[in-house]
Amino acid sequence: MSEPTGKYSITMPRDIAEAAKARSGPSGLSAYVAAAVARQIERDNLNELIKVGEAEHGPITEGEIQALRDQLHEAREQQARSGANAA
């Protein structure tokens, strides 16, 4: 079951609105904007978690970030190899 919806009036630059409208496809501008706002809320929540973690444990170093990127890259490569082997 979907969440109930409400109707809101928003103001944004015309060029952004037109670009969003052109990209929204069959789901429509409202769904496109709702998805964009949902992604921004997720980012805001993640940034809050990062701030709490850094306040407790100190900032994340570039080396730690790169190590995690390397792990993610390796996991994606393994997943791609697994998918190719299953086909």
Side-chain angles (χ1 to χ4, degrees), residues 2 4 6 19 23 25 27 30 34 39 42 44 47 51 54 56-58 62 69 72-73 77 79 82 84 87:
S2 330
R23 293 173 184 259
S27 63
S30 292
R39 280 191 305 275
E42 289 174 354
D44 293 344
N47 284 332
K51 285 180 184 178
E54 286 185 334
E56 195 172 319
H57 303 287
E62 285 299 319
R69 284 184 177 140
L72 179 59
H73 181 71
E77 284 184 348
Q79 186 178 30
S82 295

Side-chain angles (χ1 to χ4, degrees), residues 1-86:
M1 184 166 169
S2 330
E3 292 291 321
T5 61
K7 189 167 184 162
Y8 303 91
S9 175
I10 62 168
T11 303
M12 70 175 76
R14 183 169 290 153
D15 60 335
I16 293 173
E18 291 301 320
K21 191 173 181 181
R23 293 173 184 259
S24 64
S27 63
L29 182 59
S30 292
Y32 189 86
V33 171
V37 171
R39 280 191 305 275
Q40 185 62 48
I41 291 168
E42 289 174 354
R43 294 177 115 189
D44 293 344
N45 289 339
L46 286 171
N47 284 332
E48 288 173 16
L49 287 173
I50 290 168
K51 285 180 184 178
V52 168
E54 286 185 334
E56 195 172 319
H57 303 287
I60 301 168
T61 67
E62 285 299 319
E64 290 169 325
I65 292 170
Q66 188 58 50
L68 291 171
R69 284 184 177 140
D70 293 344
Q71 287 176 7
L72 179 59
H73 181 71
E74 179 60 31
R76 286 179 175 159
E77 284 184 348
Q78 286 178 358
Q79 186 178 30
R81 286 193 297 268
S82 295
N85 291 337

